[in-house]
Amino acid sequence: TIQAPSAWNKKITQSILDRGFVSAGHEGTIFVRHEGDSYIMLILYVDDLLVFHNNHQDAQEFKKSIMAEYKCTDEGSLSWHLGIK
């Protein structure tokens, strides 16, 4: 149904915010968490969550917490997205 994507977006957005991220725009697709010198930036696109970071351990902890809550996979480093290499 048309409501399912909206419900999913609300649920994942709340999960992200609950983990200390803040929305970095009015569309609610970019989220940032900054602690000291460490940052994680997330881009939510439909059902993909792109993770950019400068601290591997923090990123792994975030991914582990998301994977414990949702059925998902870590596809590794990004080489293609939306047809762009």
Side-chain angles (χ1 to χ4, degrees):
T1 68
I2 200 109
Q3 294 175 341
S6 178
W8 158 250
N9 187 277
K10 286 180 183 179
K11 183 175 180 179
I12 190 68
T13 295
Q14 190 58 54
S15 291
I16 291 168
L17 296 174
D18 288 348
R19 287 171 170 80
F21 287 82
V22 294
S23 180
H26 67 280
E27 293 185 26
T29 59
I30 301 174
F31 303 89
V32 178
R33 184 175 76 192
H34 189 268
E35 298 172 350
D37 293 335
S38 177
Y39 73 85
I40 301 176
M41 181 175 70
L42 307 175
I43 298 176
L44 179 61
Y45 181 77
V46 187
D47 62 352
D48 289 331
L49 189 60
L50 305 178
V51 180
F52 300 90
H53 61 87
N54 70 341
N55 184 307
H56 183 73
Q57 182 177 345
D58 287 349
Q60 292 298 67
E61 289 172 9
F62 167 74
K63 289 185 213 178
K64 185 178 178 181
S65 74
I66 284 290
M67 293 171 92
E69 187 173 348
Y70 299 97
K71 182 180 176 185
C72 55
T73 58
D74 183 352
E75 298 294 327
S77 295
L78 182 67
S79 58
W80 286 89
H81 188 66
L82 300 175
I84 301 171
K85 184 173 184 178

